[in-house]
Amino acid sequence: TDEIITLDPGYKNTGSCKSEITYLDGEKGVLMYRGYSIEQLAEKSSFVEVMYLLLKGELPTATELQKFKDDINEYNFVSEDIAKILAAFPSSAHPMGVLSSLTSALTAFNPKAVNAKSEEEMYRAAVTLIGKFAVLASWTLRKVKGLPLNYSDSKLDYVENFYQLMFKNPNKDLQMDPIVIDALDKLLILHADHEQNCSTSTVRLVGSAHTGLFASISAGVSALWGPLHGGANQEVVEMLEKIKEDGGDVQKWVDKAKDKNDDFRLMGFGHRVYKNFDPRARIIKKAADQILEKLGIQDEALEIAKKLELAALEDEYFVSRKLYPNVDFYSGIIYKALGIPTEMFTVMFAVGRLPGWIAQWIEMRQNNEPIGRPRQIYTGAPKRDYIDIENR
Ligand code: SDX
């Protein structure tokens, strides 16, 4: 054919869309949401305010922020029938698989949201999902631990409510340590959006077929689950544990990661865009020191992580490939200090990334983007005739 097809596996050099939401500069290690630097937002903003910023494009006034919170609280309960779907899962089910299933199930209980077309209908679908997603995420933790489900408390702020949904137990008062809540809030801000990463591209591609918001986000949860993407934060902590048990010889593991015959990779290292320090990793590494100190926690995994980082950043293999710690390298150490089970780390990433996914889905629909349908280079069998089975 005379068509020109440019092959670009992994879309390393392909821009899939125009977007006004997030800006990355991989060389300089810059990340901005709607023009505001991640450093300033992590320092001064709150996760709810950042959710508003990503969705609306502007920082809210106090009135707008309160209305946003009220709108979210209108939807912070989940149908008991979804609890029945949850009950059918084995407690060994990975929380990301449960979360993806329950998110898709939301469609059946909120049918109006599927046909969201106007700006107002899309905003409604967005706050519906933001209200319910935190409940679903917390229910996956309660399932893992075999604990009764909790329900939202609208008197609490979004992150406090998410925390009590995860950790409140019957007949016991829940200590809501401000250090813990602030750390959680900061981590959620840092994960809120990241332009066209694998899961966000998935959400935009599924949504480009005019699939409803919940099913599109469910697909994003599945993409994030992958160990090369959001699943890496769980892999990092499991890797650090292995290195600790192995005596803490980080150089041995750095060498293992370089060995092409060994499929071991240094999890939490490397990035498609950042060829410099991931600005989020820099913030999280500093926060890990501060939070563990404030909570009086000694975690050998943090020391091993720092030694691993040092060893890798002095190693030609990593330096020549511009491999630096990414967002997943230190985040698990903080989640662990906050009492979050390892298998829940990627769910925490998903709760943070939700507003980015939604904002990007709405932008794609409002820009009337065409359905995503890439081409290919065919390298299969040439034309040939059918052979009856008796002649094969
Ligand atoms: C996230 O895209 C995003 O924005 C994602 C994210 C977000 O916020 O949405 O930032 C979140 O997913 C962060 C990344 C989490 N994943 C991991 O930490 C898993 C480990 N990292 C790698 O698998 C890898 O670095 C990726 C997946 C992150 C990036 O893969 P690329 O861009 O396709 O790079 P590549 O696999 O082609 O690697 C280039 C070279 C290869 O060596 P050579 O073939 O040139 O000899 O670097 C090597 C790779 O073998 N390499 C590594 C390595 N990462 C890359 N070698 C050892 N350990 C690693 N971690």
Side-chain angles (χ1 to χ4, degrees), residues 179-222:
I179 296 170
V180 169
I181 299 300
D182 182 56
L184 202 43
D185 195 274
K186 191 190 286 272
L187 279 168
L188 293 170
I189 290 173
L190 291 166
H191 287 80
D193 194 45
H194 214 236
E195 61 135 90
Q196 303 313 313
N197 60 85
C198 177
S199 54
T200 301
S201 297
T202 301
V203 167
R204 286 183 84 119
L205 187 61
V206 172
S208 72
H210 289 195
T211 302
L213 177 64
F214 305 150
S216 302
I217 300 297
S218 168
V221 174
S222 296

mmCIF file of all heavy atoms in Angstrom, residues 179-222:
data_model
loop_
_atom_site.group_PDB
_atom_site.id
_atom_site.type_symbol
_atom_site.label_atom_id
_atom_site.label_comp_id
_atom_site.label_asym_id
_atom_site.label_seq_id
_atom_site.Cartn_x
_atom_site.Cartn_y
_atom_site.Cartn_z
ATOM 1 N N ILE A 179 0.492 13.733 61.578
ATOM 2 C CA ILE A 179 1.714 13.452 60.784
ATOM 3 C C ILE A 179 1.380 12.424 59.703
ATOM 4 O O ILE A 179 1.766 12.548 58.545
ATOM 5 C CB ILE A 179 2.832 12.894 61.685
ATOM 6 C CG1 ILE A 179 3.261 13.924 62.728
ATOM 7 C CG2 ILE A 179 4.043 12.452 60.853
ATOM 8 C CD1 ILE A 179 4.197 13.354 63.795
ATOM 9 N N VAL A 180 0.606 11.416 60.097
ATOM 10 C CA VAL A 180 0.244 10.344 59.152
ATOM 11 C C VAL A 180 -0.670 10.887 58.060
ATOM 12 O O VAL A 180 -0.459 10.654 56.869
ATOM 13 C CB VAL A 180 -0.428 9.181 59.912
ATOM 14 C CG1 VAL A 180 -1.041 8.186 58.956
ATOM 15 C CG2 VAL A 180 0.568 8.516 60.847
ATOM 16 N N ILE A 181 -1.673 11.672 58.488
ATOM 17 C CA ILE A 181 -2.641 12.213 57.509
ATOM 18 C C ILE A 181 -1.935 13.140 56.529
ATOM 19 O O ILE A 181 -2.134 13.073 55.318
ATOM 20 C CB ILE A 181 -3.779 12.970 58.241
ATOM 21 C CG1 ILE A 181 -4.546 12.018 59.167
ATOM 22 C CG2 ILE A 181 -4.714 13.640 57.239
ATOM 23 C CD1 ILE A 181 -5.197 10.837 58.491
ATOM 24 N N ASP A 182 -1.010 13.957 57.055
ATOM 25 C CA ASP A 182 -0.287 14.904 56.190
ATOM 26 C C ASP A 182 0.602 14.156 55.195
ATOM 27 O O ASP A 182 0.686 14.519 54.023
ATOM 28 C CB ASP A 182 0.563 15.837 57.069
ATOM 29 C CG ASP A 182 1.285 16.877 56.210
ATOM 30 O OD1 ASP A 182 0.576 17.600 55.471
ATOM 31 O OD2 ASP A 182 2.522 16.911 56.214
ATOM 32 N N ALA A 183 1.222 13.068 55.673
ATOM 33 C CA ALA A 183 2.100 12.272 54.792
ATOM 34 C C ALA A 183 1.283 11.637 53.675
ATOM 35 O O ALA A 183 1.659 11.669 52.503
ATOM 36 C CB ALA A 183 2.791 11.188 55.615
ATOM 37 N N LEU A 184 0.112 11.120 54.035
ATOM 38 C CA LEU A 184 -0.775 10.484 53.051
ATOM 39 C C LEU A 184 -1.240 11.521 52.029
ATOM 40 O O LEU A 184 -1.195 11.301 50.830
ATOM 41 C CB LEU A 184 -1.974 9.895 53.806
ATOM 42 C CG LEU A 184 -2.776 8.780 53.161
ATOM 43 C CD1 LEU A 184 -1.902 7.762 52.502
ATOM 44 C CD2 LEU A 184 -3.710 8.154 54.189
ATOM 45 N N ASP A 185 -1.595 12.695 52.531
ATOM 46 C CA ASP A 185 -2.079 13.782 51.659
ATOM 47 C C ASP A 185 -0.996 14.144 50.648
ATOM 48 O O ASP A 185 -1.229 14.233 49.449
ATOM 49 C CB ASP A 185 -2.425 15.002 52.527
ATOM 50 C CG ASP A 185 -3.265 16.011 51.772
ATOM 51 O OD1 ASP A 185 -2.680 16.855 51.076
ATOM 52 O OD2 ASP A 185 -4.495 15.922 51.818
ATOM 53 N N LYS A 186 0.239 14.257 51.143
ATOM 54 C CA LYS A 186 1.364 14.652 50.274
ATOM 55 C C LYS A 186 1.629 13.571 49.216
ATOM 56 O O LYS A 186 1.811 13.863 48.040
ATOM 57 C CB LYS A 186 2.613 14.858 51.143
ATOM 58 C CG LYS A 186 3.792 15.508 50.437
ATOM 59 C CD LYS A 186 5.062 15.462 51.297
ATOM 60 C CE LYS A 186 5.013 16.465 52.443
ATOM 61 N NZ LYS A 186 5.531 17.800 52.060
ATOM 62 N N LEU A 187 1.597 12.312 49.638
ATOM 63 C CA LEU A 187 1.849 11.220 48.684
ATOM 64 C C LEU A 187 0.775 11.196 47.601
ATOM 65 O O LEU A 187 1.066 11.010 46.422
ATOM 66 C CB LEU A 187 1.895 9.879 49.414
ATOM 67 C CG LEU A 187 3.214 9.562 50.106
ATOM 68 C CD1 LEU A 187 3.067 8.363 51.030
ATOM 69 C CD2 LEU A 187 4.304 9.297 49.077
ATOM 70 N N LEU A 188 -0.471 11.444 47.987
ATOM 71 C CA LEU A 188 -1.563 11.427 46.993
ATOM 72 C C LEU A 188 -1.378 12.580 46.008
ATOM 73 O O LEU A 188 -1.570 12.417 44.806
ATOM 74 C CB LEU A 188 -2.918 11.507 47.708
ATOM 75 C CG LEU A 188 -3.274 10.264 48.550
ATOM 76 C CD1 LEU A 188 -4.510 10.535 49.406
ATOM 77 C CD2 LEU A 188 -3.492 9.041 47.668
ATOM 78 N N ILE A 189 -0.937 13.744 46.498
ATOM 79 C CA ILE A 189 -0.668 14.882 45.594
ATOM 80 C C ILE A 189 0.396 14.487 44.574
ATOM 81 O O ILE A 189 0.268 14.732 43.378
ATOM 82 C CB ILE A 189 -0.172 16.115 46.393
ATOM 83 C CG1 ILE A 189 -1.304 16.719 47.236
ATOM 84 C CG2 ILE A 189 0.421 17.173 45.455
ATOM 85 C CD1 ILE A 189 -0.849 17.840 48.169
ATOM 86 N N LEU A 190 1.454 13.827 45.063
ATOM 87 C CA LEU A 190 2.594 13.504 44.201
ATOM 88 C C LEU A 190 2.250 12.485 43.122
ATOM 89 O O LEU A 190 2.942 12.372 42.123
ATOM 90 C CB LEU A 190 3.761 12.990 45.051
ATOM 91 C CG LEU A 190 4.407 14.056 45.949
ATOM 92 C CD1 LEU A 190 5.312 13.408 46.981
ATOM 93 C CD2 LEU A 190 5.184 15.060 45.107
ATOM 94 N N HIS A 191 1.165 11.737 43.331
ATOM 95 C CA HIS A 191 0.790 10.701 42.358
ATOM 96 C C HIS A 191 -0.362 11.126 41.450
ATOM 97 O O HIS A 191 -0.803 10.348 40.612
ATOM 98 C CB HIS A 191 0.382 9.408 43.085
ATOM 99 C CG HIS A 191 1.524 8.653 43.683
ATOM 100 N ND1 HIS A 191 2.103 9.002 44.900
ATOM 101 C CD2 HIS A 191 2.215 7.589 43.236
ATOM 102 C CE1 HIS A 191 3.090 8.160 45.165
ATOM 103 N NE2 HIS A 191 3.190 7.292 44.189
ATOM 104 N N ALA A 192 -0.833 12.385 41.606
ATOM 105 C CA ALA A 192 -2.138 12.761 41.044
ATOM 106 C C ALA A 192 -2.218 12.753 39.525
ATOM 107 O O ALA A 192 -3.272 12.483 38.959
ATOM 108 C CB ALA A 192 -2.560 14.123 41.581
ATOM 109 N N ASP A 193 -1.150 13.089 38.808
ATOM 110 C CA ASP A 193 -1.189 13.001 37.342
ATOM 111 C C ASP A 193 0.235 12.942 36.802
ATOM 112 O O ASP A 193 1.181 13.319 37.489
ATOM 113 C CB ASP A 193 -1.931 14.201 36.719
ATOM 114 C CG ASP A 193 -2.260 13.915 35.245
ATOM 115 O OD1 ASP A 193 -2.740 12.794 34.959
ATOM 116 O OD2 ASP A 193 -1.997 14.765 34.390
ATOM 117 N N HIS A 194 0.372 12.442 35.601
ATOM 118 C CA HIS A 194 1.730 12.355 35.039
ATOM 119 C C HIS A 194 1.708 12.253 33.519
ATOM 120 O O HIS A 194 2.349 11.391 32.927
ATOM 121 C CB HIS A 194 2.484 11.162 35.644
ATOM 122 C CG HIS A 194 3.946 11.466 35.799
ATOM 123 N ND1 HIS A 194 4.931 10.698 35.251
ATOM 124 C CD2 HIS A 194 4.572 12.485 36.419
ATOM 125 C CE1 HIS A 194 6.113 11.224 35.530
ATOM 126 N NE2 HIS A 194 5.921 12.311 36.246
ATOM 127 N N GLU A 195 0.990 13.128 32.862
ATOM 128 C CA GLU A 195 0.749 13.193 31.401
ATOM 129 C C GLU A 195 0.455 11.794 30.843
ATOM 130 O O GLU A 195 -0.372 11.073 31.440
ATOM 131 C CB GLU A 195 1.844 13.962 30.667
ATOM 132 C CG GLU A 195 3.271 13.432 30.735
ATOM 133 C CD GLU A 195 3.927 13.446 29.356
ATOM 134 O OE1 GLU A 195 4.543 14.461 28.995
ATOM 135 O OE2 GLU A 195 3.807 12.428 28.663
ATOM 136 N N GLN A 196 1.038 11.387 29.742
ATOM 137 C CA GLN A 196 0.508 10.208 29.025
ATOM 138 C C GLN A 196 1.194 8.903 29.402
ATOM 139 O O GLN A 196 1.566 8.114 28.547
ATOM 140 C CB GLN A 196 0.612 10.473 27.519
ATOM 141 C CG GLN A 196 -0.117 11.757 27.079
ATOM 142 C CD GLN A 196 -1.522 11.853 27.662
ATOM 143 O OE1 GLN A 196 -2.304 10.903 27.631
ATOM 144 N NE2 GLN A 196 -1.858 13.014 28.216
ATOM 145 N N ASN A 197 1.331 8.644 30.711
ATOM 146 C CA ASN A 197 1.892 7.353 31.157
ATOM 147 C C ASN A 197 0.979 6.215 30.733
ATOM 148 O O ASN A 197 -0.109 6.437 30.207
ATOM 149 C CB ASN A 197 2.041 7.391 32.678
ATOM 150 C CG ASN A 197 0.708 7.617 33.346
ATOM 151 O OD1 ASN A 197 -0.039 6.689 33.587
ATOM 152 N ND2 ASN A 197 0.377 8.869 33.584
ATOM 153 N N CYS A 198 1.437 5.006 30.955
ATOM 154 C CA CYS A 198 0.723 3.818 30.458
ATOM 155 C C CYS A 198 -0.743 3.779 30.888
ATOM 156 O O CYS A 198 -1.641 3.588 30.059
ATOM 157 C CB CYS A 198 1.466 2.569 30.938
ATOM 158 S SG CYS A 198 0.668 1.036 30.479
ATOM 159 N N SER A 199 -1.023 3.994 32.160
ATOM 160 C CA SER A 199 -2.422 3.854 32.627
ATOM 161 C C SER A 199 -3.274 5.024 32.150
ATOM 162 O O SER A 199 -4.436 4.841 31.771
ATOM 163 C CB SER A 199 -2.464 3.753 34.156
ATOM 164 O OG SER A 199 -1.793 4.846 34.762
ATOM 165 N N THR A 200 -2.714 6.224 32.092
ATOM 166 C CA THR A 200 -3.499 7.369 31.616
ATOM 167 C C THR A 200 -3.786 7.223 30.121
ATOM 168 O O THR A 200 -4.901 7.488 29.654
ATOM 169 C CB THR A 200 -2.744 8.677 31.889
ATOM 170 O OG1 THR A 200 -2.522 8.775 33.297
ATOM 171 C CG2 THR A 200 -3.519 9.886 31.421
ATOM 172 N N SER A 201 -2.794 6.737 29.371
ATOM 173 C CA SER A 201 -3.034 6.496 27.940
ATOM 174 C C SER A 201 -4.117 5.445 27.758
ATOM 175 O O SER A 201 -4.936 5.532 26.836
ATOM 176 C CB SER A 201 -1.740 6.031 27.262
ATOM 177 O OG SER A 201 -0.767 7.058 27.346
ATOM 178 N N THR A 202 -4.134 4.469 28.671
ATOM 179 C CA THR A 202 -5.168 3.421 28.614
ATOM 180 C C THR A 202 -6.549 4.034 28.848
ATOM 181 O O THR A 202 -7.496 3.751 28.109
ATOM 182 C CB THR A 202 -4.877 2.357 29.696
ATOM 183 O OG1 THR A 202 -3.592 1.794 29.464
ATOM 184 C CG2 THR A 202 -5.936 1.262 29.691
ATOM 185 N N VAL A 203 -6.645 4.901 29.851
ATOM 186 C CA VAL A 203 -7.930 5.539 30.167
ATOM 187 C C VAL A 203 -8.405 6.356 28.965
ATOM 188 O O VAL A 203 -9.574 6.295 28.569
ATOM 189 C CB VAL A 203 -7.783 6.446 31.424
ATOM 190 C CG1 VAL A 203 -9.000 7.362 31.590
ATOM 191 C CG2 VAL A 203 -7.582 5.600 32.674
ATOM 192 N N ARG A 204 -7.480 7.077 28.324
ATOM 193 C CA ARG A 204 -7.867 7.898 27.162
ATOM 194 C C ARG A 204 -8.251 7.023 25.968
ATOM 195 O O ARG A 204 -9.225 7.293 25.270
ATOM 196 C CB ARG A 204 -6.733 8.853 26.778
ATOM 197 C CG ARG A 204 -6.559 10.033 27.731
ATOM 198 C CD ARG A 204 -5.485 11.006 27.306
ATOM 199 N NE ARG A 204 -5.953 11.974 26.346
ATOM 200 C CZ ARG A 204 -5.950 13.319 26.564
ATOM 201 N NH1 ARG A 204 -5.518 13.806 27.705
ATOM 202 N NH2 ARG A 204 -6.380 14.149 25.639
ATOM 203 N N LEU A 205 -7.538 5.912 25.799
ATOM 204 C CA LEU A 205 -7.832 5.045 24.635
ATOM 205 C C LEU A 205 -9.197 4.375 24.808
ATOM 206 O O LEU A 205 -10.041 4.414 23.910
ATOM 207 C CB LEU A 205 -6.729 3.992 24.488
ATOM 208 C CG LEU A 205 -6.790 3.122 23.230
ATOM 209 C CD1 LEU A 205 -6.668 3.976 21.975
ATOM 210 C CD2 LEU A 205 -5.684 2.067 23.250
ATOM 211 N N VAL A 206 -9.438 3.829 26.002
ATOM 212 C CA VAL A 206 -10.737 3.173 26.248
ATOM 213 C C VAL A 206 -11.853 4.217 26.153
ATOM 214 O O VAL A 206 -12.871 4.016 25.501
ATOM 215 C CB VAL A 206 -10.737 2.487 27.642
ATOM 216 C CG1 VAL A 206 -12.131 1.985 27.995
ATOM 217 C CG2 VAL A 206 -9.737 1.341 27.666
ATOM 218 N N GLY A 207 -11.615 5.402 26.737
ATOM 219 C CA GLY A 207 -12.637 6.456 26.703
ATOM 220 C C GLY A 207 -12.879 6.994 25.305
ATOM 221 O O GLY A 207 -13.964 7.478 24.985
ATOM 222 N N SER A 208 -11.884 6.843 24.421
ATOM 223 C CA SER A 208 -12.043 7.388 23.060
ATOM 224 C C SER A 208 -13.100 6.612 22.271
ATOM 225 O O SER A 208 -13.599 7.076 21.252
ATOM 226 C CB SER A 208 -10.707 7.349 22.297
ATOM 227 O OG SER A 208 -10.366 6.018 21.952
ATOM 228 N N ALA A 209 -13.471 5.425 22.789
ATOM 229 C CA ALA A 209 -14.555 4.669 22.137
ATOM 230 C C ALA A 209 -15.906 5.103 22.698
ATOM 231 O O ALA A 209 -16.933 4.493 22.394
ATOM 232 C CB ALA A 209 -14.336 3.170 22.375
ATOM 233 N N HIS A 210 -15.879 6.156 23.532
ATOM 234 C CA HIS A 210 -17.068 6.679 24.236
ATOM 235 C C HIS A 210 -17.583 5.675 25.264
ATOM 236 O O HIS A 210 -18.759 5.639 25.590
ATOM 237 C CB HIS A 210 -18.167 7.109 23.275
ATOM 238 C CG HIS A 210 -17.791 8.365 22.545
ATOM 239 N ND1 HIS A 210 -18.689 9.123 21.848
ATOM 240 C CD2 HIS A 210 -16.595 9.000 22.411
ATOM 241 C CE1 HIS A 210 -18.067 10.178 21.300
ATOM 242 N NE2 HIS A 210 -16.780 10.099 21.628
ATOM 243 N N THR A 211 -16.667 4.855 25.774
ATOM 244 C CA THR A 211 -16.972 3.995 26.925
ATOM 245 C C THR A 211 -17.164 4.915 28.125
ATOM 246 O O THR A 211 -16.529 5.974 28.197
ATOM 247 C CB THR A 211 -15.763 3.060 27.168
ATOM 248 O OG1 THR A 211 -15.552 2.326 25.964
ATOM 249 C CG2 THR A 211 -16.002 2.114 28.326
ATOM 250 N N GLY A 212 -18.013 4.501 29.055
ATOM 251 C CA GLY A 212 -18.295 5.331 30.226
ATOM 252 C C GLY A 212 -17.057 5.548 31.084
ATOM 253 O O GLY A 212 -16.068 4.817 30.984
ATOM 254 N N LEU A 213 -17.128 6.563 31.962
ATOM 255 C CA LEU A 213 -15.992 6.943 32.800
ATOM 256 C C LEU A 213 -15.550 5.799 33.701
ATOM 257 O O LEU A 213 -14.355 5.499 33.784
ATOM 258 C CB LEU A 213 -16.350 8.166 33.653
ATOM 259 C CG LEU A 213 -15.256 8.629 34.640
ATOM 260 C CD1 LEU A 213 -14.018 9.105 33.891
ATOM 261 C CD2 LEU A 213 -15.787 9.731 35.558
ATOM 262 N N PHE A 214 -16.467 5.114 34.368
ATOM 263 C CA PHE A 214 -16.079 4.096 35.362
ATOM 264 C C PHE A 214 -15.339 2.941 34.701
ATOM 265 O O PHE A 214 -14.307 2.482 35.185
ATOM 266 C CB PHE A 214 -17.308 3.575 36.109
ATOM 267 C CG PHE A 214 -18.137 4.659 36.752
ATOM 268 C CD1 PHE A 214 -19.503 4.506 36.906
ATOM 269 C CD2 PHE A 214 -17.554 5.853 37.191
ATOM 270 C CE1 PHE A 214 -20.274 5.501 37.500
ATOM 271 C CE2 PHE A 214 -18.316 6.852 37.772
ATOM 272 C CZ PHE A 214 -19.685 6.675 37.925
ATOM 273 N N ALA A 215 -15.842 2.485 33.558
ATOM 274 C CA ALA A 215 -15.179 1.362 32.868
ATOM 275 C C ALA A 215 -13.816 1.809 32.340
ATOM 276 O O ALA A 215 -12.850 1.044 32.345
ATOM 277 C CB ALA A 215 -16.062 0.852 31.736
ATOM 278 N N SER A 216 -13.719 3.067 31.918
ATOM 279 C CA SER A 216 -12.427 3.582 31.419
ATOM 280 C C SER A 216 -11.406 3.623 32.556
ATOM 281 O O SER A 216 -10.251 3.231 32.393
ATOM 282 C CB SER A 216 -12.602 4.990 30.836
ATOM 283 O OG SER A 216 -13.558 4.985 29.790
ATOM 284 N N ILE A 217 -11.851 4.077 33.730
ATOM 285 C CA ILE A 217 -10.939 4.148 34.884
ATOM 286 C C ILE A 217 -10.584 2.741 35.347
ATOM 287 O O ILE A 217 -9.447 2.460 35.731
ATOM 288 C CB ILE A 217 -11.571 4.949 36.038
ATOM 289 C CG1 ILE A 217 -11.880 6.380 35.601
ATOM 290 C CG2 ILE A 217 -10.687 4.927 37.290
ATOM 291 C CD1 ILE A 217 -10.689 7.223 35.216
ATOM 292 N N SER A 218 -11.531 1.818 35.251
ATOM 293 C CA SER A 218 -11.259 0.426 35.634
ATOM 294 C C SER A 218 -10.111 -0.130 34.786
ATOM 295 O O SER A 218 -9.216 -0.810 35.287
ATOM 296 C CB SER A 218 -12.521 -0.417 35.431
ATOM 297 O OG SER A 218 -12.205 -1.785 35.539
ATOM 298 N N ALA A 219 -10.104 0.251 33.503
ATOM 299 C CA ALA A 219 -9.016 -0.195 32.612
ATOM 300 C C ALA A 219 -7.690 0.430 33.050
ATOM 301 O O ALA A 219 -6.632 -0.201 33.038
ATOM 302 C CB ALA A 219 -9.331 0.199 31.170
ATOM 303 N N GLY A 220 -7.753 1.691 33.508
ATOM 304 C CA GLY A 220 -6.552 2.376 33.996
ATOM 305 C C GLY A 220 -5.990 1.689 35.231
ATOM 306 O O GLY A 220 -4.770 1.520 35.374
ATOM 307 N N VAL A 221 -6.898 1.235 36.114
ATOM 308 C CA VAL A 221 -6.456 0.524 37.332
ATOM 309 C C VAL A 221 -5.691 -0.743 36.929
ATOM 310 O O VAL A 221 -4.615 -1.049 37.442
ATOM 311 C CB VAL A 221 -7.663 0.163 38.231
ATOM 312 C CG1 VAL A 221 -7.237 -0.709 39.425
ATOM 313 C CG2 VAL A 221 -8.351 1.425 38.747
ATOM 314 N N SER A 222 -6.242 -1.440 35.918
ATOM 315 C CA SER A 222 -5.576 -2.676 35.459
ATOM 316 C C SER A 222 -4.189 -2.369 34.887
ATOM 317 O O SER A 222 -3.221 -3.076 35.176
ATOM 318 C CB SER A 222 -6.432 -3.372 34.405
ATOM 319 O OG SER A 222 -7.654 -3.774 34.991
#
